[in-house]
Amino acid sequence: MVSDELSPAAIFRAGTRLRQVIRRTPLETSSRLTGELGVPVRLKREDLQVCRSYKVRGAYNLISSLTPAERERGVVCASAGNHAQGVAFACRELKIKGRVYLPANTPRQKRRRIAALGGEWVEPVIVGSSFDEASAASKEDSQRTGAVYVHPFDDPRTIAGQGTVGLEIAEQHDGPIDTVIVPVGGGGLLAGVVLWLKEHFPEVRVVGAEPAGAASMRAALDHGGPVALPSVDTFVDGAAVGRVGDTGFQVVRELVDELVAVPEGAVCTEMIELYQTEGIIAEPAGALASAAARLPLERPARGPVVCVVSGGNNDLSRYGEVVERSLVHEGLRHYFLVTFPQEPGALRHFLDDVLDDGQDIVAFEYVKKNNRETGPALVGIELDRADELDGLLKRMKESPLQIEQVPPGSPLFSFLI
């Protein structure tokens, strides 16, 4: 597991290398989470990092460690997000030519951000319609031209750079730490952080938090090695990895104490809480760790907890979906198929006799069939409290209307959010 390139000593060297280039992000107390958990909770604010993500740590550490001959050949990577921005920043700072392969569906603002960070040193290359196609093209480029492939998580130099997050946590925290919770995508950040902490503070409990819809580290642990997931929910895009890295997996398997799968709805709820209470604009992956802190763990924290807020590159246009997913997860929004008879008063009966005070219709799609006696409608209802659902369902059952609940996770529900 430990080699010269991936060891606590390598992480220390990375910290020395990065100190003059990146930000030493703050470790801030969350009064909200402290009150909820009953123990001190601090947030490691990598959303305030250069490029607004920890990814720059790994990218810069790898690229800055290249030999003169390798620098001459340049670098190449595939990414539509934080890793690409980290590579672009490193190329500009180190004056090394780089190519970043992006799928055609990469949002325009991300393309502009990558181009602005890299300047004349980075060439964005648009290829294919998916990340897999862009990744394949970047690896072919590396083989053909000799450019160094900068892996986002499965390279010892990347992991060592990302591990400096753990080094800083240990330096910044005043007193012992009970639990550190780290988001998991490909496993590089978790591997680097746990490697440093377990070497210097073996009593610290390290927990990995991965999205339930992309639980590739759990699949690897259950399988005995990295394995490709048959499908991936891409909502938590910064951690939606279908197969974890081989290098990081070995470290995680040996050193990590617990792995938690966080429902995407819980991530959305925590994104909203972070924004409304702490004023933190976190991307979905950035809210994974603090969302996991609010879930039942195998062993509840007995002392101070640190959660890594891994990034803040969030698209504001996604907040409608974030709110929707959160409300569904919290049991406050529900959808039903209601068949109304085509006669006067049917809708009024639903409003007066089925809905209660404080229960609002937030969606209504009604289709009238002229050649039938009934017409279906898709109705979304928002509740004041989750425990109101039982009463609502009872009144629906007693109603003469034909009403069917649309369960979360059903194929039809996927069209609603």
Side-chain angles (χ1 to χ4, degrees), residues 193-202 204-206 255 257:
V193 169
V194 74
L195 186 59
W196 176 266
L197 290 177
K198 289 296 186 179
E199 173 72 13
H200 296 89
F201 308 95
V204 173
R205 185 172 177 81
V206 179
L255 297 180
D257 297 286

Side-chain angles (χ1 to χ4, degrees), residues 154-336:
D154 197 17
D155 186 292
R157 295 163 293 182
T158 302
I159 295 172
Q162 295 174 358
T164 59
V165 172
L167 184 154
E168 287 186 15
I169 289 172
E171 291 178 343
Q172 292 172 299
H173 199 279
D174 50 350
I177 304 172
D178 180 80
T179 304
V180 175
I181 306 178
V182 184
V184 185
L189 176 63
L190 178 59
V193 169
V194 74
L195 186 59
W196 176 266
L197 290 177
K198 289 296 186 179
E199 173 72 13
H200 296 89
F201 308 95
E203 72 283 358
V204 173
R205 185 172 177 81
V206 179
V207 176
E210 62 182 344
S216 50
M217 186 61 77
R218 170 50 60 196
L221 292 172
D222 292 344
H223 182 74
V227 59
L229 296 176
S231 63
V232 171
D233 184 331
T234 59
F235 175 75
V236 187
D237 48 350
V241 174
R243 183 185 186 279
V244 298
D246 295 289
T247 307
F249 167 75
Q250 299 296 333
V251 179
V252 170
R253 179 173 60 179
E254 292 187 29
L255 297 180
V256 169
D257 297 286
E258 183 180 351
L259 194 64
V260 179
V262 184
E264 278 69 14
V267 171
C268 293
T269 298
E270 180 61 12
M271 289 175 68
I272 295 169
E273 292 289 347
L274 285 167
Y275 175 70
Q276 292 183 334
T277 305
E278 283 90 0
I280 296 173
I281 300 177
E283 61 188 76
L288 266 173
S290 51
R294 306 172 74 186
L295 299 177
L297 300 180
E298 290 177 4
R299 197 216 75 185
R302 300 166 183 165
V305 175
V306 174
C307 301
V308 178
V309 182
S310 59
N313 284 305
N314 193 38
D315 185 348
L316 290 178
S317 67
R318 302 181 70 187
Y319 266 101
E321 180 184 2
V322 169
V323 172
E324 180 77 19
R325 283 178 177 259
S326 173
L327 289 169
V328 170
H329 174 74
E330 296 295 312
L332 298 176
R333 184 168 293 184
H334 303 270
Y335 289 89
F336 303 88

Side-chain angles (χ1 to χ4, degrees), residues 324-378:
E324 180 77 19
R325 283 178 177 259
S326 173
L327 289 169
V328 170
H329 174 74
E330 296 295 312
L332 298 176
R333 184 168 293 184
H334 303 270
Y335 289 89
F336 303 88
L337 290 173
V338 183
T339 301
F340 291 98
Q342 298 297 322
E343 59 186 38
L347 180 56
R348 173 56 57 189
H349 162 74
F350 183 80
L351 296 174
D352 291 343
D353 299 335
V354 176
L355 296 188
D356 206 348
D357 291 341
Q359 298 176 354
D360 296 327
I361 292 178
V362 294
F364 192 98
E365 295 291 336
Y366 184 75
V367 181
K368 182 177 180 180
K369 301 292 186 179
N370 291 326
N371 60 341
R372 293 175 58 182
E373 295 181 354
T374 60
L378 177 65

